[in-house]
Structures are given as structure tokens and as C-alpha cells.
Amino acid sequence: MASLLQGRLPISQDVLLMQKGTMMRKVRSKNWKKLRYFRLQEDGMTVWHARQVGARAKASFSISDVETVRNGHESELLRSLAEEFPLEQGFTIVFHGRRSNLDLVANSVEEAQIWMKGLQLLVDFVTNMDQQERLDQWLSDWFQRGDKNQDGRMSFHEVQRLLRLMNVEMEQEHAFQLFQAADTSQSDTLEGHEFIEFYKALTKRVEVLELFGNFSADGQKLTLLEFVDFLQEEQKEGDHASDLALELIDRHEPSESGKLRHVLSMDGFLSYLYSKDGDIFNPSCLPIYQDMTQPLNHYYINSSHNTYLVGDQLCGQSSVEGYIRALKRGCRCVEVDVWDGPSGEPVVYHGHTLTSRILFKEVVATLAQYAFQTSDYPVILSLENHCSWEQQEIIAHHLTEILGDQLLSTTLDGQLPTQLPSPEELQKKILVKGKKLSTLEEDLEEEEELETELEGEQEPELESQFESETQELSPRSKDKNEKKSKAILCPSLSALVIYTKTVSFYNFTHSREHYRFYELSSFSETKAKNLIKETGNQFVQHNAWQLSRVYPSGLRTDSSNYNPQEFWNAGCQMVAMNVQTAGLEMDIYDGLFRQNGGCGYVLKPDFLRDTQSSFHPERPISPFKAQTLQIQVISGQQLPKVDKTKEGSIVDPLVRVEIFGVRPDTTRQETSYVENNGFNPYWGQTLCFQLLVPELAMLRFLVKDYNWTSRNDFIGQYTLPWTCMQQGYRHIHLLSKDGTSLHPASLFVHICMLEGLREVES
């Protein structure tokens, strides 16, 4: 069967040449460079590769896996091989999630351009696919896998095999009945259009039909009034339900006559439920919807730890790719550990370990290119400076020269502020976070004095100026080590630190009495946890006027993560994560920052922005509005296999709902498991939760494959903030461990929120 997208696929000369195939060099390292034959399949959606033309081929990647295509000049690896291969002949395929990039070198510039332009054309097409096109592509992929002899049709034997691949356990007799009903040509095989009918029969949504019948008088359609009733009663859409109903009918009703009559068919109703409009995540929370004019310390800030690492903390690879990935996923605070390098050029790596090294100037160039591709809001460069005076001057030079106007090198209006500026005011600016010799007040005073100096008056020598600054500041210093660090800090680098000056933390009283709003402290996860337990309310008040950064313990040499929720509960803004490591902790992190346009800034609840707040994260009490949450887990759709290599294995799925928030709210419940059905499992079970502080709660829907002999295997998950959740009948579109889409895998649930704490119904 040709792709169901045939006729809609963008066809260009480049795409046609890709389908003929090309010998290219696949590059994994300086020492691993091997020729491979790459070919775009006839479906226009998958690329296969083989050792040579005519050899046995295997799937390399799907177009839907690709995020973008970069030229050879942007690849660290290809740049290192520039003497061996012209960069113009190289290109990099960048995948979604954490999959490693694929570096390829063509035999000519023309061939490289054919693949770069052709791939980008197809990637853009996939990115802009509508719901039906994505489903068509998914069905086309399954047909290709099921049609073992590749004759464009499927026998019943091939269909039986396909059902097992699709996670469907079905009696042979029933499967044969569906097969015969779809085989309208009576050829004892299913062709493309017949396979679609077979799929429709297979995926008949009984639970949706029943829901549709509850509101439809004739069982055939929902009138405008009936649909408005559904939106108000079940979806809790409120007073705007009438206008919304018209919009939704226009958007989802497939028949033009239905649109004209303002009615919604069963197909239109299912399309609405499965779309973004029927998603559990409130679409109004997807764009930037929060007030972005408040001081920086009023926001949670998406932050990365040891950003340069793409592996573990001891022997992992340092790469500018770490910065590209972090920035493109919305990180607004990235970390740079800088050390003296050879030939006078500072290098970035994890000090005193075997991690590889990259040039600081390459990191800065990467920042200049990628800082504002995903978000216009400010990037904070957390500078861990271990360099000599001479190389610090090089650091300052690179920051100034490479970043240019992007670098914030003075206060916004040249005046002394009374609070931190807002993300709105700092758009397209990079802020250096680091140690500083003087205060902001002294900097501004000095600037004024310089302006009023008589022409020809000589500036004091750098060393003597530096000494006087150190002497002036030393009475305020409580720590000999701090004095020592000041003594080796280069003034030109110090001058680039404006609103994010790092200071040592002693206790909250000391900070309140001695520090200014633009000074901030960093806390190890252990120190922060202890402060939350011992002085949680003071930590909340501290974070209402000053920034805090929390970083993972040095014992996490495997680049594992902590749960960020505990630190968010205390209002900590920059909770730094090892973003290269997937798992529960990053699911929670990504879940919070999915809202507000993915811009990397999320406004904290009002009780975490009040310097007089009475909130204690360990002992939350009124006036916070407690709520009861009822979740009916109804059904699942097209859940993926856990082990794709085992053709006959079919999952036994269960759903676990996990809540993360303040300690009393953190809990989990799960459904029973459904045996041998990953295709359309039905649970129909209600889970009930009581929350004291819903404003801080994160919900994670986790689907697992029940296994009584070992830990249940991960199938998919979706995590979102309570504040972004829609009520009513909703679909949850599942994500992989890596955070990439598992389309069309989903859960169908009913969400109900009730004010106050209610008795749990049995």
C-alpha cells in the first residue's frame, strides 16, 4: 500500500533523488567513519540504510523522529574533521528527545544539499500535519509493517500477525469476521482503503458512543443546544459554552452540511474529544498567558545543571550540544564551569574529572546563536569561574565581543533599581551570574564620577583601583575564603555581573540584614532540604525578595536528578536539573514548564511572592483552598508494546495517577490491570484525591505493563500542573520516557474538581 499521505506529500526533485538512494559516510567519532547506503522509502516518511547498494537494509529513522537538519559547520564532530572532509559536504540530523545526532558526509556539496533540503521539506510537512494526516501516517506505518511480503495487500495470516504487533489479543473467529466485513473486493486480502475500514471496526469506541447517546436525542447527531448542554454540564465550560460550541462544530464536524446546520456527528464529536480542544491540558495555558512584568524572583526559572555534559559527571562528554538542547527545550539558566586552557584559551569541563573539554568561546558562540530561538525571555549564564586573572580577561573579552548587544552589561536605565527587573524588561538579554568585586551602588557611583572627571585626568592604575575596592569591601565580608576569591577576581569580568551577583549563604537573618535584592545564593539539594525542614517559612520569605539556585548533590555522578517539587514548594526559582537524564523527575520538570508558551518562566503562586507570607511548605494551613479531585480512568487507545522485539507479547496495562505537591498532598493510586489488551483497554475506575494546596500540585498519569514477577514496565506518561487541567471528558496524549510523543497512544478520562475536602465515595 502506498502511503495514505500519497498525493499530499510534498514532492520535489530533492525528495525524488533521495528515494533513489545515496552512498554517504556515517560519522560517529574521529575514528568511526563508514560508508552506508541511505534511501528514502516510497512512503516518503522513513529512511532505511544498508552497508551497500542491494544489501539487506534496515530502518534508520522516521521523518517524524527528526527535529531539524543542520549544516556541517554547526557540528562539533564534523568541524573536528574539517581537514579530512569539506564541511560543505557534511550535515547533521537532529532528533527529538535525547537521541544522539546523526552526522553524515555526502560525496559532493550537491548531494549534501539534496538531502538537507529534502529532509527539511519533509520535516516541515510532518510538523504541520493535522490530526487526520497524523493518523493516516500512523496507519500507513502499520500497514508497511504488517505487509510482510510487500505486495501492497494483507492476507488474514498477515492481519493476525499485525494484530499481535499492535497489542491486540482477539479471538480468531471475531478477527476473521472483521476481516471479511472489510474485504469488500472479496479477494481474501485487504488493500489500503479496506485496511482503513478494518481499523475503524477495530477501534470502535463503545464508551464514546454511550456518552454521545446520553446527550443526543436521536443517537445520530448533537444539535447545537445538545452540544451546549454537554459543554456546560460535563466540560464545565461556563457561560461562553454557546459561542464555543459553534467554534468547535466549525472546527471538528467533517460534513459541510453538518456545519451549515450547526450539528455535530459522532465522527465530529470524537474528533473534538481527541483534539487539543478535548485535551486534559487547558489550551488557554499553552501560549504566554501569565503576567511577565513582575520581578525575576517571582518566577520559577527553567534551569540546567552542568549544561555542557551530555552524559555522566565523571567521564561524560562535554559538548556545545548540551547547550543547544537545553536552550531549545526552554532552559533560561545554563551553567558554565570555566578553567584555564592551553594557548591562553579558557576551557569548559567538569573540573578534576575525566570529562572532555570544549572551548569557552565555542560555548559563548552557541549561546549567541541559540539563546532566543525558543523564548525571548532572558538567559542567565551561571558562571563557575576557576580561571587565572589572565584567562578571566579572555572570558570577559569573549562575552563582550561575541554576545554584543545581547549581553546585559549595565542596569537597564543606568539608574539604581529598587527591585529586580522583569522578564519582559530583560527580553533578548543574557545576564552573567557570578562573583562581583563591588556593589551595584558603587559601580553606578563610579560611573558618575568618571563622567564628571576633568578632561585629561588620568584613571588610577588597575591594580591600585582593584586593591582599594577590595579594602573598602573587606569589612562586609564574613569569610576569609571570600576575601581570597575577591583578590583573584578580574575587574573586567566582575563588571559584567549586574543583577545576579552570587554571595555565600550563612542564614536567613544574615541575608536580610547584609544582602541586597540583586545578590543570590546557591544551595546544594541537601542544604536546601534541611533549610525547608528547619526554617521553611523563612525560606519562602527569602525567595519572595531574592533569587535562589538549588543544584544536585556531587554524589550524583550518574547525572541522576532529585524531585524539584520540594524546592518549588519553598519558592526556589532556579532548581537546576541534569536535563540530559530522562525519568520521573524530568517529567515533573517538563510538566511545569510546558505552560506559558514553554518560555522558561512560570509565575509563582501569590503566597510564594509575599515577603510577609505565613506559608510553610512542611506544614501548610489555611487560607489555601483545599479541593477534592475525582478522576475516572475510562479507557486507553493504541498503547505501544513494551518489548517491540517480542512479536507475540501483549501488554497488561494499568494506570497510576501520581500527585506531587506539599508533603500531605503527595500520593498515588492505581487501577487494576487489563489482561492482554494494549489496543483498547477499558478500566472504568474512579480514583479520588484530597489536596490542601492545589496551586502547587503536579499530576502525573503513568501507564505501566503489569508484571507479577518483577517491577511493572513503563509504557507512557503525561505530567501537568493542576492549574492547567481541564475538567470533564478528556484525552491524555501519552509521552515516552524521553518526553517525545507516542501518538496516537492516549488515555480517556473524566476529571471533576470539587471545592473543599469531601468524603471519598466507595
Side-chain angles (χ1 to χ4, degrees):
M1 165 175 125
S3 169
L4 290 169
L5 295 171
Q6 215 72 41
R8 284 176 280 175
L9 273 171
I11 299 299
S12 68
Q13 192 62 34
D14 296 323
V15 171
L16 293 172
L17 289 169
M18 287 164 64
Q19 288 178 328
K20 289 183 177 178
T22 311
M23 287 297 294
M24 291 187 282
R25 205 169 291 276
K26 181 178 176 180
V27 183
R28 282 186 182 164
S29 68
K30 288 184 179 181
N31 301 319
W32 199 103
K33 307 169 287 257
K34 297 189 178 179
L35 280 170
R36 293 288 185 264
Y37 178 65
F38 286 87
R39 180 173 171 269
L40 177 68
Q41 297 300 289
E42 294 305 315
D43 65 358
M45 284 288 117
T46 48
V47 173
W48 289 55
H49 75 276
R51 289 180 182 272
Q52 58 194 41
V53 180
R56 187 180 173 187
K58 60 180 181 180
S60 183
F61 59 88
S62 169
I63 298 298
S64 59
D65 298 333
V66 180
E67 182 186 311
T68 191
V69 185
R70 298 189 202 137
N71 66 47
H73 293 273
E74 294 183 67
S75 165
E76 274 178 287
L77 180 54
L78 295 181
R79 282 202 305 270
S80 71
L81 296 167
E83 291 183 9
E84 194 174 344
F85 305 114
L87 286 174
E88 292 76 15
Q89 289 175 214
F91 61 97
T92 303
I93 298 169
V94 181
F95 299 101
H96 293 292
R98 294 171 176 83
R99 180 173 171 179
S100 298
N101 295 348
L102 175 60
D103 285 301
L104 297 172
V105 178
N107 291 316
S108 67
V109 175
E110 292 73 29
E111 281 186 355
Q113 285 298 314
I114 285 166
W115 277 83
M116 286 175 66
K117 289 191 288 185
L119 282 171
Q120 196 60 58
L121 183 71
L122 294 172
V123 168
D124 292 342
F125 171 71
V126 168
T127 303
N128 296 314
M129 272 184 186
D130 62 27
Q131 197 171 299
Q132 186 58 49
E133 285 172 328
R134 291 179 74 198
L135 182 59
D136 287 349
Q137 177 53 37
W138 184 79
L139 282 174
S140 181
D141 288 345
W142 276 115
F143 192 94
Q144 298 283 351
R145 290 174 66 181
D147 182 16
K148 203 161 187 181
N149 63 2
Q150 297 293 297
D151 64 353
R153 56 186 67 217
M154 273 199 284
S155 65
F156 181 62
H157 177 71
E158 286 176 319
V159 166
Q160 282 182 296
R161 175 179 169 271
L162 179 64
L163 289 175
R164 288 193 296 273
L165 287 172
M166 294 177 88
N167 249 333
V168 183
E169 176 84 1
M170 186 179 286
E171 289 180 7
Q172 186 169 328
E173 188 179 340
H174 182 51
F176 190 60
Q177 285 174 351
L178 294 179
F179 178 87
Q180 284 186 312
D183 180 21
T184 52
S185 63
Q186 297 185 332
S187 61
D188 292 330
T189 59
L190 298 183
E191 295 181 34
H193 64 283
E194 293 172 327
F195 176 67
I196 294 170
E197 292 309 311
F198 176 76
Y199 171 79
K200 283 182 179 176
L202 204 60
T203 54
K204 203 169 185 181
R205 298 282 299 275
V206 178
E207 74 280 19
V208 178
L209 274 169
E210 188 179 320
L211 177 62
F212 185 79
N214 290 343
F215 285 85
S216 169
D218 63 4
Q220 302 297 310
K221 65 183 181 302
L222 288 174
T223 65
L224 181 60
L225 287 177
E226 287 169 343
F227 190 36
V228 169
D229 284 345
F230 171 76
L231 292 175
Q232 287 180 329
E233 290 175 30
E234 295 294 349
Q235 308 299 76
K236 311 297 182 193
E237 294 292 0
D239 296 336
H240 73 301
S242 297
D243 293 335
L244 181 62
L246 286 168
E247 284 177 35
L248 294 174
I249 289 170
D250 195 51
R251 207 174 296 156
H252 298 290
E253 174 52 41
S255 76
E256 289 303 319
S257 63
K259 287 180 183 177
L260 288 170
R261 291 185 295 132
H262 296 155
V263 299
L264 196 64
S265 64
M266 174 61 195
D267 284 347
F269 184 62
L270 186 55
S271 171
Y272 152 66
L273 286 175
Y274 197 71
S275 72
K276 282 185 178 177
D277 297 307
D279 197 279
I280 191 169
F281 197 101
N282 190 334
S284 67
C285 295
L286 286 172
I288 293 170
Y289 71 100
Q290 295 181 331
D291 176 8
M292 301 305 289
T293 63
Q294 300 204 25
L296 275 185
N297 53 293
H298 284 188
Y299 298 84
Y300 296 122
I301 303 172
N302 192 331
S303 304
S304 161
H305 173 62
N306 288 355
T307 315
Y308 46 88
L309 290 179
V310 291
D312 66 48
Q313 307 282 313
L314 295 178
C315 307
Q317 180 192 356
S318 300
S319 169
V320 296
E321 193 61 42
Y323 292 94
I324 296 171
R325 290 184 180 186
L327 291 165
K328 293 204 83 170
R329 67 186 294 138
C331 277
R332 296 290 87 190
C333 177
V334 294
E335 187 176 15
V336 188
D337 277 317
V338 203
W339 301 78
D340 280 358
S343 309
E345 280 294 341
V347 292
V348 175
Y349 77 108
H350 197 197
H352 312 300
T353 68
L354 299 175
T355 56
S356 61
R357 304 172 184 209
I358 46 177
L359 291 174
F360 175 74
K361 64 180 178 183
E362 288 195 359
V363 172
V364 181
T366 301
L367 272 179
Q369 184 176 353
Y370 289 95
F372 305 109
Q373 284 193 9
T374 298
S375 168
D376 284 345
Y377 292 114
V379 169
I380 297 168
L381 179 61
S382 184
L383 197 63
E384 295 296 323
N385 169 20
H386 309 278
C387 290
S388 62
W389 180 291
E390 292 75 22
Q391 294 213 7
Q392 285 181 52
E393 290 189 317
I394 301 294
I395 290 173
H397 173 78
H398 287 328
L399 288 170
T400 308
E401 291 302 310
I402 298 172
L403 296 180
D405 290 341
Q406 290 180 324
L407 180 68
L408 186 82
S409 54
T410 182
T411 55
L412 289 176
D413 54 5
Q415 301 298 310
L416 184 67
T418 54
Q419 62 179 21
L420 286 172
S422 68
E424 189 78 32
E425 292 171 304
L426 291 168
Q427 282 190 81
K428 296 284 184 87
K429 289 295 180 185
I430 295 172
L431 285 66
V432 176
K433 176 179 96 62
K435 292 187 174 71
K436 188 174 177 66
L437 291 167
S438 56
T439 64
L440 209 49
E441 291 84 346
E442 287 164 337
D443 277 1
L444 291 168
E445 252 177 61
E446 193 176 313
E447 280 175 28
E448 283 177 20
E449 285 171 12
L450 284 170
E451 284 172 13
T452 55
E453 273 179 3
L454 292 171
E455 194 173 346
E457 188 177 327
Q458 294 297 306
E459 256 188 71
E461 287 294 311
L462 195 61
E463 272 96 336
S464 61
Q465 181 186 340
F466 175 51
E467 281 168 14
S468 67
E469 284 177 335
T470 310
Q471 287 162 5
E472 282 171 20
L473 285 170
S474 59
R476 287 192 60 238
S477 174
K478 300 276 184 182
D479 186 26
K480 288 179 182 177
N481 290 332
E482 202 169 308
K483 287 181 190 175
K484 190 178 175 186
S485 71
K486 281 180 178 174
I488 57 166
L489 185 57
C490 163
S492 59
L493 183 57
S494 166
L496 300 181
V497 176
I498 308 299
Y499 295 118
T500 43
K501 175 186 175 183
T502 57
V503 290
S504 300
F505 177 81
Y506 302 100
N507 56 59
F508 292 120
T509 303
H510 175 269
S511 294
R512 198 164 49 248
E513 291 175 356
H514 295 93
Y515 290 155
R516 296 162 175 83
F517 63 86
Y518 56 81
E519 295 174 317
L520 67 102
S521 302
S522 290
F523 305 87
S524 71
E525 60 175 288
T526 308
K527 176 71 173 174
K529 282 182 180 181
N530 289 336
L531 287 170
I532 290 167
K533 283 176 186 168
E534 295 162 11
T535 51
N537 176 245
Q538 286 187 58
F539 210 169
V540 167
Q541 293 180 354
H542 174 87
N543 288 325
W545 71 279
Q546 204 177 51
L547 286 167
S548 290
R549 180 176 178 271
V550 181
Y551 59 90
S553 162
L555 298 175
R556 294 184 182 274
T557 55
D558 58 352
S559 294
S560 60
N561 281 307
Y562 45 49
N563 185 337
Q565 188 69 48
E566 191 172 355
F567 309 113
W568 289 337
N569 292 344
C572 298
Q573 299 88 351
M574 295 183 283
V575 181
M577 304 288 280
N578 289 309
V579 298
Q580 72 270 36
T581 307
L584 160 70
E585 297 80 11
M586 278 308 300
D587 291 344
I588 296 169
Y589 208 81
D590 291 341
L592 178 77
F593 288 105
R594 187 167 285 121
Q595 64 183 306
N596 210 31
C599 74
Y601 286 83
V602 170
L603 191 63
K604 297 194 290 184
D606 55 3
F607 55 85
L608 294 180
R609 308 195 306 263
D610 178 5
T611 54
Q612 304 300 314
S613 176
S614 62
F615 180 73
H616 194 304
E618 294 289 298
R619 297 185 290 278
I621 52 171
S622 295
F624 311 105
K625 293 177 182 175
Q627 291 199 355
T628 298
L629 172 65
Q630 291 177 347
I631 301 174
Q632 185 188 13
V633 181
I634 302 169
S635 61
Q637 294 76 43
Q638 288 90 59
L639 304 179
K641 291 172 82 75
V642 171
D643 188 348
K644 292 185 172 71
T645 61
K646 291 183 181 175
E647 213 171 90
S649 67
I650 293 172
V651 300
D652 304 325
L654 61 86
V655 179
R656 178 188 295 166
V657 179
E658 302 171 327
I659 296 189
F660 301 93
V662 294
R663 199 178 300 277
D665 291 348
T666 301
T667 185
R668 68 187 192 189
Q669 292 180 40
E670 62 185 39
T671 66
S672 55
Y673 68 91
V674 175
E675 197 169 349
N676 283 343
N677 188 350
F679 197 73
N680 54 359
Y682 180 84
W683 293 280
Q685 292 177 243
T686 299
L687 310 176
C688 193
F689 301 91
Q690 298 182 333
L691 286 93
L692 294 173
V693 192
E695 300 97 320
L696 289 174
M698 299 291 298
L699 274 80
R700 183 174 186 246
F701 293 84
L702 176 66
V703 186
K704 305 204 88 175
D705 180 15
Y706 173 76
N707 189 335
W708 67 274
T709 60
S710 63
R711 292 178 65 183
N712 299 335
D713 292 316
F714 175 97
I715 293 176
Q717 67 83 27
Y718 189 80
T719 309
L720 77 162
W722 170 289
T723 52
C724 296
M725 187 165 55
Q726 295 201 97
Q727 296 194 71
Y729 287 95
R730 302 292 173 186
H731 275 93
I732 299 168
H733 298 275
L734 296 174
L735 304 174
S736 69
K737 272 184 181 174
D738 220 18
T740 56
S741 171
L742 288 174
H743 178 83
S746 65
L747 295 175
F748 186 47
V749 298
H750 182 266
I751 304 289
C752 181
M753 299 179 198
L754 303 166
E755 293 292 330
L757 302 179
R758 308 289 181 97
E759 288 296 319
V760 179
E761 294 178 16
S762 57

